[in-house]
Amino acid sequence: MKCMQKSLRNFKSEKCAEKRASEIVGEYSRMSEDALFAKLMEEVASQKSDGTFDMAELTENVNKMRPYLSAEQSAKLNHLLKLIGS
């Protein structure tokens, strides 16, 4: 019974994560490229100032998106990662 409870808990958690991800995509899809860049830099600056920024985690998340991006979009992300890392 424990396994089933754990499984159901994980299922609920995954559904909540999917819903939140969908909400975030909806929010960001309405933003211009300049607005997205500004938001990203704001988030990075905030995380760097409070010591929670993790370049490895950001790179990992960006790499998860790469299959869904065009070559141009991927190149822009590479440029952003260089800016953020410096």
Side-chain angles (χ1 to χ4, degrees), residues 15 18 24 77:
K15 284 295 181 185
E18 285 178 20
I24 291 170
L77 272 177

Side-chain angles (χ1 to χ4, degrees), residues 9-22:
R9 191 176 317 123
N10 289 342
F11 179 76
K12 183 178 177 185
S13 176
E14 288 173 13
K15 284 295 181 185
C16 290
E18 285 178 20
K19 182 179 178 191
R20 181 65 186 132
S22 178

Side-chain angles (χ1 to χ4, degrees), residues 60-76:
E60 180 183 330
N61 288 330
V62 165
N63 287 335
K64 288 177 186 176
M65 292 186 296
R66 286 193 193 279
Y68 305 101
L69 304 175
S70 68
E72 181 183 349
Q73 291 169 322
S74 188
K76 286 181 181 180

Side-chain angles (χ1 to χ4, degrees), residues 11-74:
F11 179 76
K12 183 178 177 185
S13 176
E14 288 173 13
K15 284 295 181 185
C16 290
E18 285 178 20
K19 182 179 178 191
R20 181 65 186 132
S22 178
E23 290 169 356
I24 291 170
V25 167
E27 175 185 339
Y28 290 140
S29 68
R30 293 186 292 269
M31 296 173 75
S32 70
E33 189 173 303
D34 288 339
L36 284 169
F37 177 76
K39 179 70 173 168
L40 173 64
M41 297 311 281
E42 177 185 310
E43 289 294 321
V44 167
S46 174
Q47 289 180 8
K48 282 184 175 182
S49 71
D50 67 17
T52 60
F53 179 72
D54 183 348
M55 187 65 182
E57 181 181 354
L58 176 61
T59 301
E60 180 183 330
N61 288 330
V62 165
N63 287 335
K64 288 177 186 176
M65 292 186 296
R66 286 193 193 279
Y68 305 101
L69 304 175
S70 68
E72 181 183 349
Q73 291 169 322
S74 188

Side-chain angles (χ1 to χ4, degrees), residues 41 44 48 53 55 58 79-86:
M41 297 311 281
V44 167
K48 282 184 175 182
F53 179 72
M55 187 65 182
L58 176 61
H79 177 72
L80 289 175
L81 288 174
K82 285 179 187 175
L83 289 174
I84 291 167
S86 55

